Amino acid sequence: MAPSTFHPSGSIKWGALSCIAAILFLTASEQVFGALPSTNPFSYKLSNQSDQDVSAATSKEKKLLQNSHTDRTAFHFQPIKNWMNDPNGPLFYKGYYHLFYQYNPYGAVWGNIVWGHAVSTDLIHWIHLPAALVPDQWYDIKGVWSGSATFLSKVNLVLLYTGWSNASRQVQNVAVATNPSDPLLRSWSKLSENPILVATAGINSSNFRDPTTGWTGSDGLWRVLVGSKIDKNETGLALLYKSHDFVKWQLADHSLHSVANTGMWECPDFYPVSMNEKKGLDTSVNGPLVKHVLKVSLDDKKRDYYALGTYDTSADIFIPENKKIDVGIGLRYDYGKYYASKTFYDDNKQRRILWGWINESDSIAADKAKGWSSVQGIPRKVWVDESNPHGIKQWPIEEIEKLRHAKHSKKKFWLKKGSILKLKAKRATQLDIEVSFDLPSHNQQELVLNDEMAQNEAQINCGKVGATKQGTYGPFGLYVLATKDLQERTSVFFYLRHSNKGWRTLVCSDQSRSTLLPNIDKTIYGSFVPVTKGEDFLSLRVIVDHSIIETFAQGGKVCITSRVYPTRVNDDSAHLYLFNHGNQIVHVQMLAVWEMSNVVFDIY
Ligand code: DQQ
């Protein structure tokens, strides 16, 4: 049964902010924000934020900004300028995809956070709209932080978000779409009842944030989670709240789930997945062929972890499939740079889509100089890995393939020991690459549970191997964003390692030679890849877009995102290579390289 809904017009004291009012507010409030203490409760890069011009970008400026820096991406989502972090409340409504995001209108570092807003009909071409939510109430005056969108009915849409209050407390608030007939959803009103959730006894109001999308149980009540932590054992937890109207909420007597020693859980996400098809499910769906994913963003590690499990609706608890890889200590969405992610159910194409924030790896000074920070990853479709009962797969949404052109492909060839093969690509700064290799047939793979220990081991191993050390099988893979002399290059490769239990496959993204610049995070990322029975190949898909490299190994079982800042690589001089530094010859089943078109974003 559909739960009761409230009617925006009857319950709102604050009139809707028109677009114009929002813009005026943003401009006029610079001094207000300037006066705020620059307290950063997170470990983001932060410094004096008054160094940016706040005037809206003209279209000429837009063009200049888009082309002014080679690190700027060509087809990833970015605001025109300034700082961006978490994706918030993604949704599909009346033909438009909406993306909200944490945004600082005044500079390239974290602070003064509003909800930036953009719309798209295909998740690739975006129109920037004025900010959807800005700090204008005592309960969010220091920042409109992360949250989610929930459809209370087909046309009754609410945003639930964390406000950072005048007293530096984290509280949860609701904003309602006040003009449901507007497909661009430009007008939002905050409820007079806000804050609708405050930290009660036992909850620290500094660790109380990032409400999820709501779902309903069989009792018809709404449920949401709020990320938190209890100091004892540094236990991270997802507080569970219930409500009949989305306004008055009751804290459940237990959390949905908690895991000791994982620290603060930011941006929890909880959603059902089908066990027998790739189709996505709406957030309240449950049943015999349904499992649930619980994802949390670990504040201490700045990494997104997930676990697959069962949602026991009568007890209102999440039971992980395997306690050894419980949320926060097991699988990660991405073994590179990927944080504060959020999914939504796309009713348009019946799929679940994941967005994730990809921060910079360079210095504050560099970010200020370029005038912007961070990108959002290419949205990914997620579904259960049919070959692994504990994991999910992620794959770039199909729409990205519209940008592919100038295909270069090759089939069935050998890569000799020590070979470095230059591949055709006119503009190797913007590529979509797919390559698959034969798996050496006599080698039984040992299946590795990707728990914390395995992850550390994988990263250490990738680090030891780099892309040059010779093994039996591998390293073999790709050099992307490379100079002709290979002085700068990022290597994405496989490496098969022998242990007493058999062979294990590692996938690595080695940034150690990605740039000649100092002061850059050049971690060599890596993970074990579960290669399951019947798989006689190893595959990579690598999306390259100037300063970002997104890797999807083995059909999306493992993902690694890297940010790189090459100094001698531009549209005319970037090179792409296939290499094999292993002792054994490697057979390439298929290689396809597409150059990718630019996307120009519009401003509303
Ligand atoms: N970012 C938001 C918080 C969230 C954090 C503030 C995660 O709501 O916990 O910008 O990156």
Side-chain angles (χ1 to χ4, degrees), residues 487-506:
Q487 277 211 29
E488 288 187 327
R489 65 184 193 244
T490 302
S491 325
V492 180
F493 61 88
F494 285 117
Y495 177 72
L496 272 67
R497 202 173 150 253
H498 197 250
S499 79
N500 49 9
K501 290 192 200 140
W503 289 85
R504 295 165 149 197
T505 300
L506 288 155

Side-chain angles (χ1 to χ4, degrees), residues 42 44 85-86 102 110 145-146 209-210 266-267 339-340 357:
F42 310 101
Y44 306 141
N85 54 298
D86 320 352
Q102 297 281 282
W110 185 88
W145 287 0
S146 285
R209 55 185 180 269
D210 310 334
E266 295 187 313
C267 304
Y339 193 62
W357 164 43

Side-chain angles (χ1 to χ4, degrees), residues 88 164 170 176-177 180 190 230 244 301 331 434 445 458 465 490:
N88 293 146
W164 198 23
Q170 293 162 21
V176 182
K190 296 174 184 173
I230 34 183
H244 68 281
K301 296 188 172 170
L331 301 170
E434 291 193 38
Q445 287 271 322
V465 176
T490 302

Side-chain angles (χ1 to χ4, degrees), residues 95-166:
Y96 284 91
Y97 291 98
H98 290 251
L99 177 67
F100 305 93
Y101 53 91
Q102 297 281 282
Y103 180 61
N104 178 1
Y106 305 114
V109 290
W110 185 88
N112 318 314
I113 295 294
V114 306
W115 273 38
H117 185 191
V119 289
S120 167
T121 52
D122 63 1
L123 288 160
I124 301 292
H125 299 85
W126 292 90
I127 305 171
H128 290 295
L129 297 177
L133 300 174
V134 298
D136 55 4
Q137 306 296 321
W138 67 266
Y139 51 76
D140 63 13
I141 197 70
K142 287 182 153 192
V144 183
W145 287 0
S146 285
S148 308
T150 304
F151 283 96
L152 301 186
S153 71
K154 271 205 157 25
V155 290
N156 206 350
L157 176 59
V158 297
L159 303 177
L160 180 58
Y161 70 93
T162 299
W164 198 23
S165 79
N166 53 2

